[in-house]
Amino acid sequence: MSFGGASGNTKVFKPTPPDRGSFPLDHDGECKIQMQIYLDCLRSSRSRERVPADCRLLAKEYLNCRMERGLMLKDNWVNLGLPDDKRNSSTDSPESKS
Amino acid sequence: MPRILVSRIRSHLLSAGRHVQQCRYALGSLRCISTSPNSGTEPPTFSDPPQPAQLNTPASRIHSKGHLARRMKELGITAGDLQREHVRREQLKNRTSGYYALSLLIGTLALSYAAVPFYRLLCQKTGYAGTPIVESATITADRLIPVDSNRKITVRFESDVSRSLPWKFEPLQRQVTVTPGETALAFFKATNLSNQDIIGVATYNVTPDQVAPYFSKIQCFCFEQQQLRAGEQVDMPIFFFIDPDFDTDPQMKHIHEVVLNYTFFKAKTNASGQYLTVPDAAGNEIAGQVPITVSSAGA
């Protein structure tokens, strides 16, 4: 892969493991509905661009579903970059730009 | 007995009954020359510094400070003792320097062995030579704040499956547009097309390579064995973000598109660690071997 490549400056790519490990598989499709809603939102947002930022709350719903079913470790939303439950804004969190 | 001229001496003794030795301390060593041996008839005595009249006598060529000779006489030290002591000291010096040299050799060997993990540790801590800094602490919340610029990056998803793995594996969205610092959720779908339970392992690749240090995954489905029952279909999410520092890096200024490619391989071992048999290119089953995947576009 890097044979004969430029020496010195090339950075060799090393796949790194995910920060919190692997998602347990959702064998029973328990959160499938939330996933579908999220994907629909993604497809509908801004025609060509798919902006997950517009669908953050739905992503939050999906991850919430996973946490409730034990498919993900519970954590604060702020650690996951998602808006807290206290904020009632529709799809924007104060930090992100729309 | 011819008169023997004695040069200036610092220490010596006459050992009657043995060789008359003339010792000279020069160049840091004690050099002694034997003159004609005595007949041995004389009993061992240590004579006082000779009077001038005795200079011609064979056994008493002493020209030393009188009190040194007297002192040595008191302690019973002979010139032979001095010589032996000197030789012993030389040997000790040689042995000591031999030990020093040996310890230096062993120390260098040990250092060269320790250099490998030490270097790896150094690279991990400082990110030298492009090593991605993987900290054991989780990604902190302050990295997850989207940057305030107009920067948008398109992340395209590609998927590959190893030839020996009868799965269908595809992304559920072709691309997403993200801002650095913003977390994004994306999905892949995997279907087990065979009639057996199969365990697969996924790995990923980020193109262009320079983006790799900035591409952080909070959680995904890679690097762990995932078992699909026969005919099962499962959705696999990934939760990732691009580090906010990406925005301020001048080398990344021209990068607007990132391709994230996941590849599924058949696992070599099952959950209990036993090697699974895998068909090779000819279709024969070989235990524990995974053929190299041929990367083809699309699932």
Side-chain angles (χ1 to χ4, degrees):
Chain A
M1 201 159 70
S2 55
F3 174 72
S7 61
N9 223 4
T10 358
K11 298 183 182 201
V12 176
F13 172 74
K14 273 193 188 51
T16 53
D19 191 54
R20 281 151 205 261
S22 176
F23 275 124
L25 282 192
D26 185 10
H27 286 282
D28 304 325
E30 292 166 13
C31 299
K32 203 176 171 94
I33 300 171
Q34 281 85 350
M35 181 196 78
Q36 274 307 121
I37 298 173
Y38 172 77
L39 285 176
D40 289 337
C41 166
L42 208 57
R43 281 181 199 126
S44 68
S45 78
R46 302 195 195 176
S47 62
R48 291 298 275 175
E49 291 175 22
R50 310 274 178 246
V51 185
D54 296 345
C55 310
R56 295 167 81 78
L57 284 188
L58 296 170
K60 192 173 150 196
E61 280 302 313
Y62 175 77
L63 293 177
N64 202 21
C65 165
R66 268 193 169 249
M67 284 184 193
E68 280 169 8
R69 307 263 190 301
L71 295 170
M72 184 173 170
L73 285 177
K74 285 188 189 278
D75 201 351
N76 293 327
W77 293 118
V78 69
N79 289 343
L80 296 170
L82 290 170
D84 268 341
D85 286 329
K86 289 193 277 276
R87 293 198 193 94
N88 257 338
S89 55
S90 53
T91 49
D92 271 355
S93 67
E95 301 105 287
S96 74
K97 60 171 300 307
S98 48
Chain B
M1 210 43 155
R3 181 193 179 123
I4 300 167
L5 283 168
V6 180
S7 54
R8 197 180 141 84
I9 321 169
R10 281 229 308 239
S11 73
H12 73 275
L13 264 189
L14 168 70
S15 59
R18 290 176 251 176
H19 296 292
V20 172
Q21 290 187 336
Q22 294 188 0
C23 295
R24 187 178 9 176
Y25 207 86
L27 299 172
S29 64
L30 194 65
R31 298 168 199 273
C32 294
I33 319 165
S34 273
T35 60
S36 59
N38 212 353
S39 60
T41 53
E42 266 185 344
T45 51
F46 297 114
S47 53
D48 286 337
Q51 303 309 311
Q54 292 176 356
L55 276 175
N56 276 342
T57 59
S60 56
R61 299 285 180 255
I62 304 173
H63 175 74
S64 73
K65 314 286 182 212
H67 96 115
L68 178 62
R70 248 199 311 275
R71 185 82 188 121
M72 289 176 78
K73 170 172 128 189
E74 280 168 27
L75 296 170
I77 304 172
T78 66
D81 281 343
L82 276 186
Q83 195 180 13
R84 271 192 296 282
E85 180 63 31
H86 183 76
V87 165
R88 208 176 8 245
R89 282 218 191 104
E90 285 279 329
Q91 280 178 344
L92 183 67
K93 246 194 279 185
N94 285 343
R95 205 179 308 143
T96 312
S97 36
Y99 284 148
Y100 272 123
L102 188 69
S103 63
L104 190 69
L105 179 75
I106 292 178
T108 311
L109 262 172
L111 207 62
S112 65
Y113 270 107
V116 171
F118 179 68
Y119 182 74
R120 201 177 294 147
L121 194 70
L122 187 75
C123 281
Q124 271 185 349
K125 290 290 173 215
T126 62
Y128 182 68
T131 315
I133 299 179
V134 182
E135 279 162 351
S136 52
T138 54
I139 294 171
T140 50
D142 60 320
R143 303 226 67 79
L144 298 177
I145 300 174
V147 297
D148 225 358
S149 73
N150 249 339
R151 196 73 187 277
K152 295 272 187 207
I153 297 149
T154 310
V155 179
R156 287 214 332 256
F157 298 98
E158 309 244 332
S159 62
D160 281 328
V161 164
S162 154
R163 223 178 346 165
S164 66
L165 188 66
W167 284 12
K168 184 170 165 221
F169 180 58
E170 58 187 4
L172 289 176
Q173 65 286 306
R174 267 290 148 194
Q175 61 184 47
V176 291
T177 311
V178 291
T179 318
E182 190 179 80
T183 55
L185 187 64
F187 289 93
F188 284 78
K189 187 167 72 171
T191 314
N192 186 350
L193 299 171
S194 75
N195 51 5
Q196 291 168 344
D197 298 349
I198 296 179
I199 300 175
V201 178
T203 183
Y204 78 99
N205 200 344
V206 177
T207 319
D209 290 338
Q210 303 96 294
V211 185
Y214 293 104
F215 190 86
S216 307
K217 296 185 307 309
I218 296 178
Q219 204 159 359
C220 72
F221 54 87
C222 40
F223 302 123
E224 275 193 28
Q225 293 178 341
Q226 315 283 3
Q227 181 177 36
L228 284 189
R229 295 188 287 264
E232 189 181 358
Q233 185 185 81
V234 136
D235 308 308
M236 298 177 171
I238 52 169
F239 197 47
F240 67 94
F241 70 101
I242 294 181
D243 200 277
D245 289 341
F246 180 89
D247 195 42
T248 51
D249 191 337
Q251 288 180 339
M252 307 289 157
K253 228 196 275 233
H254 58 282
I255 295 181
H256 303 290
E257 195 173 275
V258 172
V259 178
L260 178 63
N261 181 322
Y262 273 86
T263 309
F264 249 104
F265 296 91
K266 196 161 179 180
K268 274 200 248 181
T269 60
N270 64 8
S272 46
Q274 293 172 324
Y275 269 93
L276 301 173
T277 57
V278 166
D280 69 349
N284 309 317
E285 301 235 329
I286 298 175
Q289 286 188 10
V290 178
I292 299 173
T293 191
V294 172
S295 182
S296 55

